[in-house]
């Protein structure tokens, strides 16, 4: 009913059902039901039907890939256990991080060091991330794992070719870059419309009888849809910030309202076109939090001939810092002193004016997130950005991301998200089955009949367009659909018979 396509929302139990005719009217119960309400039911059912028809395949793909991706941390910790975990004696001491990075550089002499993620405890390895050209659009990097106690390279993983990365790309962009991203955003937007229209259909018809057959399936479809509708809308709302159009517009709103980044007076950015933190890496495991993506990167104050040591990222020797600048060990020590939480990533300076970027993400508690920028020569904290600096919208998005990924409240959160994904799949299948059982033979698509009241039709179209303003891609597609309906479908008899 909601979010999943109800291609065949049936009429309530008390309404007669003519053979091979789409059922459109709710159970009146008595003669006092106003005709306009039945007309509204017809109009919304028709939108619900075609919304489901439009997005069913991609909606099922979103649910399947989203359900799988919930288990990314557990899956990858299991698959890469030999690379991510180490066994050290009680008195073993780690070798300096600079030596660990040097070991990676010797193993991958042509690679560019991008970042270092120190182990969070004695049982985990150090992860050194390399920039790689062939890794894929979302994570073009290679992760090299080093035993921190003997400095030996344990192995590497091309992040662009992992199973979970392919799942992520399918979920986010259909392995098709911007085009796929727009299609998935369109699917999510229409899924919200399915949810709203489906809730109305359930509320008006509320099936209470019929536990088997078509009526039983309709009852299951409607009841499950109503039960999970809040969670469906939450998943949609928390997924949209990652999309290309809606997400970019949200970032613009946050920037325009000055609630997304520190004041420009907090630190100086000398470049005419400032680089933002989201350009440091596209690897989701080593990137800054979403709320910090548009923070402008500050510049280190080079002096005493430091610019003579300029090089590409990671080009200042094995540690990634200028030869007489801040060591990576010192950068990590500052991160601990500043109480950056949990497992954090140190992104190395980019050139002589670049700064260390230290990103501490905590999906379980976004309030613990922290992003630091350190002068690569003096170690001065150029900017510190965390929960106190986030605006209201940024805080809501970060909380939403944690919920969306099933991490905010541990296993209960994951199970609710997984259950919602399974419900979407079940409702999609049940909607198709119901439509298949009641479709008219040789008489077109079997869509619900149009509402005859022009005022109701125009009113519903206006409501849909208002929703389209909130979700631009859905709005554009609505205009296209309404234009085609007015110019072609209503005027050409075969099309009118087919589409109803």
């Amino acid at each position: 009913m909601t979010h999943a396509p109800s291609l065949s929302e049936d009429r309530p139990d008390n309404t007669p059902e003519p053979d091979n005719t789409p059922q459109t009217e709710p159970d009146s119960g008595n003669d006092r039901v106003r005709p306009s309400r039945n007309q509204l039911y017809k109009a919304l059912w028709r939108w619900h039907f075609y919304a489901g028809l439009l997005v069913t395949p991609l909606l099922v793909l979103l649910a399947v890939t989203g359900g799988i991706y919930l288990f990314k941390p557990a899956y990858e910790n299991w698959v890469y256990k030999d690379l991510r975990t180490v066994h050290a004696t009680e008195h073993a001491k780690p070798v300096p991080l600079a030596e660990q990075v040097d070991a990676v550089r010797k193993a991958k002499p042509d690679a560019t060091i991008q970042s270092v993620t120190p182990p969070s405890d004695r049982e985990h390895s150090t992860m050194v991330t390399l920039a790689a050209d062939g890794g894929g659009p979302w994570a073009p990097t290679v992760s090299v794992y080093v035993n921190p106690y003997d400095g030996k390279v344990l192995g590497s993983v091309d992040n662009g070719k992992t199973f979970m990365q392919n799942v992520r790309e399918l979920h986010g962009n259909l392995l098709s870059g911007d085009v796929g991203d727009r299609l998935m955003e369109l699917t999510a937007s229409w899924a919200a419309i399915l949810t709203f229209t489906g809730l109305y259909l359930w509320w008006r018809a509320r099936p209470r009888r019929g536990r088997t057959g078509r009526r039983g399936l309709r009852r299951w479809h409607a009841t499950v849809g109503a039960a999970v509708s809040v969670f469906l809308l939450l998943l949609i709302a928390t997924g949209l910030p990652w999309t290309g159009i809606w997400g970019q517009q949200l970032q613009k709103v946050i920037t325009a309202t000055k609630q997304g980044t520190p004041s420009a007076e907090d630190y100086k950015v000398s470049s005419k076109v400032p680089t933002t933190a989201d350009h440091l890496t596209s690897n989701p495991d080593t990137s800054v939090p979403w709320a910090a993506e548009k923070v402008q990167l500050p510049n280190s104050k080079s002096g005493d001939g430091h610019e003579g040591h300029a090089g590409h990222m990671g080009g200042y020797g094995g540690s990634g810092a200028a030869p007489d600048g801040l060591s990576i060990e010192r950068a990590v020590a500052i991160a601990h002193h500043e109480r950056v939480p949990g497992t954090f990533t140190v992104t190395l300076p980019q050139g002589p004016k670049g700064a260390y970027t230290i990103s501490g993400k905590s999906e379980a508690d976004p309030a613990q997130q922290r992003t630091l920028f350190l002068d690569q020569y003096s170690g001065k904290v150029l900017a510190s950005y965390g929960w106190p600096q986030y605006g209201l919208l940024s805080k809501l998005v970060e909380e939403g991301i944690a919920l969306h990924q099933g991490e905010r409240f541990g296993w209960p959160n994951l199970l609710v998200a997984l259950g919602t994904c399974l419900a979407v799949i079940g409702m999609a299948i049940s909607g198709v089955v119901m439509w298949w059982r009641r479709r008219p033979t040789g008489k077109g698509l079997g869509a619900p009949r149009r509402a005859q009241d022009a005022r109701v039709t125009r009113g519903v179209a206006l409501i849909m367009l208002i929703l389209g303003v909130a979700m631009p891609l859905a709005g554009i597609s609505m205009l296209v659909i309404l234009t085609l309906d007015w110019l072609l479908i209503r005027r050409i008899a075969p099309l009118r018979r087919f589409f109803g």
Side-chain angles (χ1 to χ4, degrees):
M1 182 277 309
T2 59
H3 190 70
S6 177
L7 298 181
S8 61
E9 180 77 21
D10 237 341
R11 71 168 61 196
D13 298 335
N14 294 340
T15 305
E17 298 181 5
D19 291 340
N20 294 330
T21 301
Q23 313 305 319
T24 59
E25 299 178 1
D27 183 5
S28 59
N30 55 55
D31 295 334
R32 291 178 295 174
V33 176
R34 293 177 298 175
S36 61
R37 292 182 65 186
N38 288 338
Q39 292 294 308
L40 179 60
Y41 185 94
K42 288 181 179 181
L44 289 178
W45 182 12
R46 187 173 175 85
W47 276 99
H48 189 75
F49 176 89
Y50 278 111
L53 192 68
L54 182 66
V55 302
T56 293
L58 292 182
L59 189 56
V60 171
L61 180 63
L62 268 177
V64 171
T65 54
I68 294 173
Y69 200 74
L70 290 170
F71 296 92
K72 177 183 182 291
Y75 171 81
E76 292 193 338
N77 285 336
W78 171 63
V79 172
Y80 305 122
K81 181 178 180 180
D82 292 343
L83 299 179
R84 294 186 173 186
T85 59
V86 295
H87 302 282
T89 62
E90 181 179 353
H91 301 290
K93 294 183 179 180
V95 301
L97 278 174
E99 293 184 19
Q100 298 179 47
V101 175
D102 278 334
V104 173
R105 184 169 296 284
K106 292 176 181 177
K108 307 280 187 179
D110 297 327
T112 300
I113 306 292
Q114 189 177 82
S115 64
V116 178
T117 304
S120 57
D121 53 44
R122 292 181 58 83
E123 296 180 351
H124 286 85
S125 58
T126 301
M127 184 177 75
V128 179
T129 304
L130 310 178
D133 295 332
W138 283 59
T141 60
V142 172
S143 293
V144 181
Y145 296 89
V146 182
N147 187 323
Y149 300 101
D150 60 17
K152 293 182 179 180
V153 173
L154 300 173
S156 63
V157 175
D158 186 337
N159 296 314
K161 297 179 180 179
T162 65
F163 170 71
M164 281 297 176
Q165 182 58 31
N166 286 322
V167 170
R168 179 186 174 92
E169 290 184 22
L170 274 172
H171 188 76
N173 63 17
L174 295 174
L175 303 173
S176 303
D178 289 343
V179 173
D181 173 84
R182 304 303 184 262
L183 286 173
M184 288 314 227
E185 180 176 346
L186 182 65
T187 299
S189 300
W190 274 103
I193 294 170
L194 270 171
T195 306
F196 290 126
T197 55
L199 274 173
Y200 176 82
L201 297 178
W202 168 79
W203 175 73
R204 281 285 289 115
R206 291 192 295 277
R208 294 183 177 86
R209 292 192 300 250
R211 297 181 179 277
T212 60
R214 193 174 70 189
R215 291 182 183 275
L217 189 60
R218 175 175 63 83
R219 183 176 184 274
W220 181 91
H221 179 94
T223 303
V224 170
V228 303
S229 59
V230 173
F231 302 114
L232 297 180
L233 289 172
L234 185 61
L235 283 179
I236 294 167
T238 55
L240 284 173
W242 277 306
T243 60
I245 301 297
W246 201 94
Q248 288 179 6
Q249 296 307 311
L250 179 61
Q251 284 281 18
K252 289 180 180 179
V253 170
I254 291 174
T255 301
T257 55
K258 298 181 179 180
Q259 58 171 314
T261 59
S263 170
E265 298 178 355
D266 291 347
Y267 55 88
K268 295 181 179 180
V269 180
S270 62
S271 59
K272 294 181 180 179
V273 183
T275 301
T276 51
D278 56 338
H279 288 85
L280 291 171
T281 179
S282 53
N283 184 344
D285 294 330
T286 59
S287 62
V288 298
W290 186 93
E293 287 182 350
K294 297 305 177 183
V295 174
Q296 297 178 4
L297 299 180
N299 300 317
S300 295
K301 293 183 179 180
S302 59
D304 299 327
H306 287 310
E307 292 196 23
H309 300 295
H312 58 76
M313 181 172 53
Y316 298 94
S319 69
D324 50 354
L326 189 73
S327 69
I328 193 169
E329 280 84 7
R330 181 57 183 156
V332 170
I334 293 174
H336 285 302
H337 182 266
E338 294 290 330
R339 298 183 179 179
V340 178
T343 302
F344 55 82
T345 294
V346 181
T347 300
L348 307 185
Q350 303 185 42
K353 293 185 177 181
Y356 279 105
T357 301
I358 300 174
S359 171
K361 292 193 291 186
S362 174
E363 281 75 12
D365 185 5
Q368 300 299 316
Q369 293 177 352
R370 192 83 173 278
T371 302
L372 294 180
F373 300 97
L374 308 180
D375 188 298
Q376 67 165 303
Y377 305 110
S378 67
K380 177 184 177 181
V381 178
L382 301 175
S384 176
Y385 190 53
W387 192 256
Q389 290 76 41
Y390 292 0
L392 175 61
L393 288 178
S394 294
K395 288 180 178 179
L396 289 175
V397 170
E398 287 294 350
E399 289 283 2
I401 288 174
L403 289 169
H404 191 93
Q405 296 183 155
E407 298 177 327
R408 183 65 179 92
F409 299 109
W411 278 99
N413 189 168
L414 186 147
L415 292 176
V416 168
L418 178 63
T420 304
C421 292
L422 294 175
V424 170
I425 297 169
M427 287 186 291
I429 294 173
S430 63
V432 171
V433 170
M434 288 189 292
W435 166 74
W436 185 259
R437 288 178 177 178
R438 59 174 286 280
R439 74 194 189 286
T441 304
K443 294 184 179 181
L445 196 58
R449 290 178 178 178
R450 298 175 184 271
Q452 301 303 311
D453 189 329
R455 293 174 302 174
V456 171
T457 301
R458 288 194 295 267
V460 170
L462 179 61
I463 292 172
M464 292 299 165
L465 290 176
I466 292 174
L467 289 174
V469 172
M471 297 172 289
L473 285 185
I476 293 171
S477 64
M478 288 178 196
L479 290 175
V480 172
I481 291 170
L482 291 172
T483 301
L484 290 174
D485 183 61
W486 182 65
L487 291 178
L488 297 176
I489 296 174
R490 290 174 181 263
R491 300 170 189 268
I492 301 175
L495 292 179
R496 187 168 61 249
R497 286 193 297 269
F498 180 79
F499 288 101

